[in-house]
Amino acid sequence: MRDLILRAVPFVVFTAFLAFAPFTLEDGSLHLATEIFVIVVIASMWNLLAGYAGLVSLGHQMYFGAGGYALFLFANATGLSPYWGILVALALGAAAAALIAPLLFRLRDAYFAIASWVLAEIVSILVQKTDALGGITGVSLGDPGAVDMDRFEAIMFVIGGAMTLAAIIGSLWLLRSKTGLAFMCARDNEAASQAIGVNVWPARFLVYVLSAAGVAAAGALSLLGGLVVQPGAAFSPDWTVVMTFVVIVGGIGTLEGPILGAAIYFLLRQALTVIVPLSGAWYLAAMGVVAVATMLFAPKGLWPLLRDRMGVDWLTVRRTLSPSAAEERA
C-alpha cells in the first residue's frame, strides 16, 4: 500500500499543476508546456509499439498529420468547436491503423519499418496533390471565432495534460494486463510465444491501433495550435525523428523513458537554439551526437541507468509471483 501511495504522488502533483497553472502561467509558458505534453504523448505511443511490442515504425508521422487534417475538416464541415475534432482524430487514427495493420504485419523487422515510412510518404504526396485538402497550402480553420483566443492556450494546456495522463496511465494498465504480457512475450521471442499458446497477431494489432490513435489525437492538438494544417509540417518525418530520439535517450521499453527523454529534448532544444543559437543543420547534428552517445554509453537509455543506480522504479510493469504461486511452480 505504501508503494502504491508513493507511486500515485507524482500523478496527484501533476493533476494539481494542471488545475492551477492556467491561472498563474502566461500564455507563452502554457504553450511550451502543451508542446512538451504532445511530445510525451507521441513518444509514449511510439515506445508502446517499438519498446514493448517490438514493432519499429518509421512512418508514424502519417497518423500525426492525419489527425490534424481530421480536426480541421471536421470543424469546418460541422461548425462545431474544433476541440471535438480531437476525438474525431483519435477515431480516424484507430480506423486507419486497423485497415493498414493487416498489410504491414505481413512484413517483419527492417521491412516493416521501411514499409511504414514509404506508406507515410505516399500519403503525404497524395494529400499535397489533392485540391479538396488544400494542396500544398493546407487547410485553415474556417471560423477563427470558433476558438476563444483569450482562453485558447489555457484550454490547449489542460487538454494536453489530460492526454498525457491518459497515455501514461493507459499504457501502464495495458502493459500490466494479459494482453500487454502477450505482446511483450512476442517481442522477446515470437516463436516461443506462439508455442506456449500466445495469440500474437491480435495483441500486436491492438497495440498498433492504440499507438496510431494516440499519435493522431496528439497531432490534432499540436496542429490546432497554429490554426492551420499544411502537409509539409503535418506529415514531416521530423515527428518520427523526435519520437525516436526521445525514446532512445530516455529509455526504450520503459514508461518513464519518454517523460525523461522529452525533458532532455526540450532542454537541448532551448540550449542549442536560444543559448547557443545553432543553424538548422548544426542543431540536428548536435541532437544526433547526443543520441549516438546515449546508445554507446547507455544503450538502454538514461532512465534505466538512473533507476538502477538510485533504486527508483516508479511505473514498473514487472510481475512477481505470489508466495503460493511460487510454491506451486516449485
CSV table of all heavy atoms in Angstrom, one decimal, residues 150-185:
chain,number,residue,atom,x,y,z
A,150,ASP,N,-8.7,34.3,-26.0
A,150,ASP,CA,-8.3,34.7,-24.6
A,150,ASP,C,-8.0,33.5,-23.7
A,150,ASP,O,-7.2,33.6,-22.8
A,150,ASP,CB,-9.3,35.6,-24.0
A,150,ASP,CG,-9.5,36.9,-24.7
A,150,ASP,OD1,-8.4,37.4,-25.3
A,150,ASP,OD2,-10.5,37.5,-24.7
A,151,ARG,N,-8.7,32.4,-24.0
A,151,ARG,CA,-8.5,31.2,-23.2
A,151,ARG,C,-7.9,30.0,-24.0
A,151,ARG,O,-7.8,28.9,-23.5
A,151,ARG,CB,-9.9,30.7,-22.7
A,151,ARG,CG,-10.6,31.8,-21.8
A,151,ARG,CD,-12.0,31.4,-21.5
A,151,ARG,NE,-12.1,30.1,-20.9
A,151,ARG,CZ,-13.1,29.2,-21.0
A,151,ARG,NH1,-14.1,29.5,-21.8
A,151,ARG,NH2,-13.0,28.0,-20.4
A,152,PHE,N,-7.5,30.3,-25.2
A,152,PHE,CA,-7.0,29.2,-26.1
A,152,PHE,C,-5.9,28.4,-25.6
A,152,PHE,O,-5.9,27.2,-25.5
A,152,PHE,CB,-6.6,29.9,-27.5
A,152,PHE,CG,-6.2,28.9,-28.5
A,152,PHE,CD1,-7.1,27.9,-29.0
A,152,PHE,CD2,-4.9,28.9,-29.0
A,152,PHE,CE1,-6.7,27.0,-30.0
A,152,PHE,CE2,-4.5,28.0,-30.0
A,152,PHE,CZ,-5.4,27.1,-30.4
A,153,GLU,N,-4.8,29.1,-25.1
A,153,GLU,CA,-3.6,28.4,-24.6
A,153,GLU,C,-4.0,27.6,-23.3
A,153,GLU,O,-3.4,26.6,-23.1
A,153,GLU,CB,-2.5,29.4,-24.4
A,153,GLU,CG,-1.9,30.0,-25.6
A,153,GLU,CD,-1.3,29.0,-26.6
A,153,GLU,OE1,-1.1,27.9,-26.2
A,153,GLU,OE2,-1.1,29.4,-27.8
A,154,ALA,N,-4.8,28.2,-22.5
A,154,ALA,CA,-5.2,27.5,-21.3
A,154,ALA,C,-6.0,26.2,-21.6
A,154,ALA,O,-5.7,25.2,-20.9
A,154,ALA,CB,-6.0,28.4,-20.4
A,155,ILE,N,-6.9,26.3,-22.5
A,155,ILE,CA,-7.7,25.1,-22.9
A,155,ILE,C,-6.8,24.0,-23.5
A,155,ILE,O,-6.8,22.8,-23.2
A,155,ILE,CB,-8.8,25.5,-23.8
A,155,ILE,CG1,-9.8,26.4,-23.1
A,155,ILE,CG2,-9.5,24.2,-24.3
A,155,ILE,CD1,-10.9,26.9,-24.0
A,156,MET,N,-5.9,24.5,-24.4
A,156,MET,CA,-5.0,23.6,-25.0
A,156,MET,C,-4.1,22.9,-24.0
A,156,MET,O,-3.8,21.7,-24.1
A,156,MET,CB,-4.1,24.3,-26.1
A,156,MET,CG,-4.9,24.9,-27.2
A,156,MET,SD,-5.3,23.7,-28.5
A,156,MET,CE,-3.6,23.5,-29.3
A,157,PHE,N,-3.6,23.7,-23.0
A,157,PHE,CA,-2.8,23.1,-22.0
A,157,PHE,C,-3.5,22.0,-21.2
A,157,PHE,O,-2.9,21.0,-20.9
A,157,PHE,CB,-2.4,24.3,-21.0
A,157,PHE,CG,-1.7,23.9,-19.7
A,157,PHE,CD1,-0.4,23.6,-19.7
A,157,PHE,CD2,-2.5,23.8,-18.6
A,157,PHE,CE1,0.2,23.2,-18.5
A,157,PHE,CE2,-1.9,23.4,-17.4
A,157,PHE,CZ,-0.5,23.1,-17.4
A,158,VAL,N,-4.7,22.3,-20.8
A,158,VAL,CA,-5.5,21.3,-20.0
A,158,VAL,C,-5.7,20.1,-20.8
A,158,VAL,O,-5.6,18.9,-20.3
A,158,VAL,CB,-6.8,21.9,-19.5
A,158,VAL,CG1,-7.7,20.9,-18.8
A,158,VAL,CG2,-6.5,23.1,-18.5
A,159,ILE,N,-6.1,20.2,-22.1
A,159,ILE,CA,-6.3,19.0,-22.9
A,159,ILE,C,-5.0,18.2,-23.1
A,159,ILE,O,-5.0,17.0,-23.0
A,159,ILE,CB,-6.9,19.5,-24.3
A,159,ILE,CG1,-8.3,20.1,-24.2
A,159,ILE,CG2,-7.0,18.3,-25.2
A,159,ILE,CD1,-8.8,20.7,-25.4
A,160,GLY,N,-3.9,18.9,-23.3
A,160,GLY,CA,-2.7,18.3,-23.5
A,160,GLY,C,-2.3,17.5,-22.2
A,160,GLY,O,-1.8,16.4,-22.3
A,161,GLY,N,-2.5,18.1,-21.1
A,161,GLY,CA,-2.2,17.5,-19.8
A,161,GLY,C,-3.0,16.2,-19.6
A,161,GLY,O,-2.5,15.2,-19.1
A,162,ALA,N,-4.3,16.4,-19.9
A,162,ALA,CA,-5.2,15.2,-19.8
A,162,ALA,C,-4.8,14.1,-20.7
A,162,ALA,O,-4.9,12.9,-20.3
A,162,ALA,CB,-6.7,15.6,-20.0
A,163,MET,N,-4.4,14.4,-21.9
A,163,MET,CA,-3.9,13.4,-22.8
A,163,MET,C,-2.7,12.7,-22.3
A,163,MET,O,-2.5,11.5,-22.5
A,163,MET,CB,-3.7,14.0,-24.2
A,163,MET,CG,-4.9,14.4,-25.0
A,163,MET,SD,-4.6,15.3,-26.5
A,163,MET,CE,-3.6,14.1,-27.4
A,164,THR,N,-1.8,13.5,-21.7
A,164,THR,CA,-0.6,12.9,-21.1
A,164,THR,C,-0.9,11.9,-20.0
A,164,THR,O,-0.3,10.8,-20.0
A,164,THR,CB,0.3,14.0,-20.6
A,164,THR,OG1,0.6,14.9,-21.7
A,164,THR,CG2,1.6,13.5,-20.0
A,165,LEU,N,-1.8,12.3,-19.1
A,165,LEU,CA,-2.2,11.4,-18.1
A,165,LEU,C,-2.8,10.1,-18.7
A,165,LEU,O,-2.5,9.0,-18.2
A,165,LEU,CB,-3.2,12.1,-17.2
A,165,LEU,CG,-2.6,13.0,-16.1
A,165,LEU,CD1,-3.8,13.7,-15.3
A,165,LEU,CD2,-1.8,12.2,-15.1
A,166,ALA,N,-3.7,10.3,-19.7
A,166,ALA,CA,-4.3,9.1,-20.3
A,166,ALA,C,-3.3,8.2,-20.9
A,166,ALA,O,-3.4,7.0,-20.8
A,166,ALA,CB,-5.4,9.6,-21.3
A,167,ALA,N,-2.3,8.8,-21.6
A,167,ALA,CA,-1.3,8.0,-22.3
A,167,ALA,C,-0.5,7.2,-21.3
A,167,ALA,O,-0.2,6.0,-21.5
A,167,ALA,CB,-0.4,8.9,-23.1
A,168,ILE,N,-0.1,7.8,-20.2
A,168,ILE,CA,0.8,7.1,-19.3
A,168,ILE,C,0.0,6.1,-18.4
A,168,ILE,O,0.4,4.9,-18.3
A,168,ILE,CB,1.5,8.2,-18.3
A,168,ILE,CG1,2.4,9.1,-19.1
A,168,ILE,CG2,2.2,7.4,-17.2
A,168,ILE,CD1,2.9,10.2,-18.3
A,169,ILE,N,-1.1,6.5,-17.9
A,169,ILE,CA,-1.9,5.6,-17.1
A,169,ILE,C,-2.5,4.5,-17.9
A,169,ILE,O,-2.5,3.3,-17.5
A,169,ILE,CB,-3.0,6.3,-16.3
A,169,ILE,CG1,-2.4,7.3,-15.3
A,169,ILE,CG2,-3.9,5.4,-15.6
A,169,ILE,CD1,-3.4,8.2,-14.6
A,170,GLY,N,-3.0,4.8,-19.1
A,170,GLY,CA,-3.5,3.8,-20.0
A,170,GLY,C,-2.4,2.8,-20.4
A,170,GLY,O,-2.7,1.6,-20.5
A,171,SER,N,-1.2,3.3,-20.7
A,171,SER,CA,-0.1,2.3,-21.1
A,171,SER,C,0.2,1.4,-19.9
A,171,SER,O,0.5,0.2,-20.1
A,171,SER,CB,1.1,3.2,-21.5
A,171,SER,OG,0.9,3.9,-22.7
A,172,LEU,N,0.3,2.0,-18.7
A,172,LEU,CA,0.6,1.2,-17.5
A,172,LEU,C,-0.5,0.1,-17.3
A,172,LEU,O,-0.1,-1.1,-17.0
A,172,LEU,CB,0.6,2.1,-16.3
A,172,LEU,CG,0.9,1.4,-14.9
A,172,LEU,CD1,2.3,0.8,-15.0
A,172,LEU,CD2,0.8,2.5,-13.8
A,173,TRP,N,-1.7,0.5,-17.5
A,173,TRP,CA,-2.8,-0.5,-17.3
A,173,TRP,C,-2.7,-1.6,-18.4
A,173,TRP,O,-2.8,-2.8,-18.1
A,173,TRP,CB,-4.2,0.2,-17.4
A,173,TRP,CG,-5.3,-0.8,-17.3
A,173,TRP,CD1,-5.9,-1.4,-16.2
A,173,TRP,CD2,-6.0,-1.3,-18.5
A,173,TRP,NE1,-6.9,-2.2,-16.6
A,173,TRP,CE2,-7.0,-2.2,-18.0
A,173,TRP,CE3,-5.9,-1.1,-19.8
A,173,TRP,CZ2,-7.9,-2.8,-18.8
A,173,TRP,CZ3,-6.8,-1.7,-20.7
A,173,TRP,CH2,-7.8,-2.6,-20.2
A,174,LEU,N,-2.5,-1.2,-19.6
A,174,LEU,CA,-2.4,-2.2,-20.7
A,174,LEU,C,-1.2,-3.1,-20.5
A,174,LEU,O,-1.4,-4.3,-20.7
A,174,LEU,CB,-2.3,-1.4,-22.0
A,174,LEU,CG,-2.1,-2.3,-23.3
A,174,LEU,CD1,-3.3,-3.2,-23.5
A,174,LEU,CD2,-1.8,-1.5,-24.5
A,175,LEU,N,-0.1,-2.6,-20.1
A,175,LEU,CA,1.1,-3.4,-20.0
A,175,LEU,C,1.0,-4.4,-18.8
A,175,LEU,O,1.7,-5.4,-18.8
A,175,LEU,CB,2.4,-2.5,-19.9
A,175,LEU,CG,2.7,-1.7,-21.2
A,175,LEU,CD1,3.7,-0.7,-20.9
A,175,LEU,CD2,3.2,-2.7,-22.3
A,176,ARG,N,0.2,-4.1,-17.8
A,176,ARG,CA,0.1,-5.0,-16.7
A,176,ARG,C,-1.1,-5.9,-16.9
A,176,ARG,O,-1.4,-6.7,-16.0
A,176,ARG,CB,-0.1,-4.2,-15.4
A,176,ARG,CG,1.1,-3.3,-15.0
A,176,ARG,CD,1.0,-2.7,-13.6
A,176,ARG,NE,0.9,-3.8,-12.6
A,176,ARG,CZ,1.9,-4.3,-12.0
A,176,ARG,NH1,3.2,-4.0,-12.4
A,176,ARG,NH2,1.8,-5.3,-11.1
A,177,SER,N,-1.7,-5.9,-18.1
A,177,SER,CA,-2.8,-6.8,-18.4
A,177,SER,C,-2.2,-8.0,-19.1
A,177,SER,O,-1.1,-8.1,-19.5
A,177,SER,CB,-3.9,-6.1,-19.3
A,177,SER,OG,-3.3,-5.8,-20.6
A,178,LYS,N,-3.1,-9.0,-19.3
A,178,LYS,CA,-2.7,-10.2,-20.0
A,178,LYS,C,-2.3,-9.9,-21.5
A,178,LYS,O,-1.4,-10.5,-22.1
A,178,LYS,CB,-3.8,-11.2,-20.0
A,178,LYS,CG,-4.0,-11.8,-18.7
A,178,LYS,CD,-5.1,-12.9,-18.7
A,178,LYS,CE,-5.3,-13.5,-17.3
A,178,LYS,NZ,-6.4,-14.6,-17.4
A,179,THR,N,-3.0,-8.9,-22.1
A,179,THR,CA,-2.7,-8.5,-23.5
A,179,THR,C,-1.3,-7.9,-23.5
A,179,THR,O,-0.5,-8.2,-24.4
A,179,THR,CB,-3.7,-7.5,-24.0
A,179,THR,OG1,-5.0,-8.1,-23.9
A,179,THR,CG2,-3.4,-7.1,-25.4
A,180,GLY,N,-1.0,-7.1,-22.6
A,180,GLY,CA,0.3,-6.5,-22.5
A,180,GLY,C,1.4,-7.5,-22.4
A,180,GLY,O,2.5,-7.5,-23.0
A,181,LEU,N,1.2,-8.5,-21.5
A,181,LEU,CA,2.1,-9.6,-21.4
A,181,LEU,C,2.3,-10.4,-22.6
A,181,LEU,O,3.4,-10.8,-23.0
A,181,LEU,CB,1.7,-10.5,-20.2
A,181,LEU,CG,2.6,-11.7,-19.9
A,181,LEU,CD1,3.9,-11.2,-19.4
A,181,LEU,CD2,1.9,-12.6,-18.8
A,182,ALA,N,1.2,-10.5,-23.4
A,182,ALA,CA,1.3,-11.3,-24.7
A,182,ALA,C,2.2,-10.6,-25.7
A,182,ALA,O,3.0,-11.2,-26.3
A,182,ALA,CB,-0.2,-11.4,-25.2
A,183,PHE,N,2.0,-9.3,-25.9
A,183,PHE,CA,2.8,-8.7,-26.9
A,183,PHE,C,4.3,-8.4,-26.5
A,183,PHE,O,5.2,-8.3,-27.3
A,183,PHE,CB,2.2,-7.4,-27.6
A,183,PHE,CG,1.9,-6.2,-26.7
A,183,PHE,CD1,2.9,-5.5,-26.1
A,183,PHE,CD2,0.6,-5.9,-26.4
A,183,PHE,CE1,2.6,-4.4,-25.4
A,183,PHE,CE2,0.3,-4.8,-25.7
A,183,PHE,CZ,1.3,-4.0,-25.1
A,184,MET,N,4.5,-8.4,-25.1
A,184,MET,CA,5.9,-8.3,-24.7
A,184,MET,C,6.6,-9.6,-24.8
A,184,MET,O,7.8,-9.7,-25.2
A,184,MET,CB,5.9,-7.8,-23.2
A,184,MET,CG,5.7,-6.3,-23.0
A,184,MET,SD,6.0,-5.8,-21.3
A,184,MET,CE,4.6,-6.4,-20.5
A,185,CYS,N,5.8,-10.7,-24.6
A,185,CYS,CA,6.4,-12.1,-24.9
A,185,CYS,C,6.7,-12.2,-26.4
A,185,CYS,O,7.8,-12.8,-26.7
A,185,CYS,CB,5.4,-13.1,-24.5
A,185,CYS,SG,5.2,-13.3,-22.7
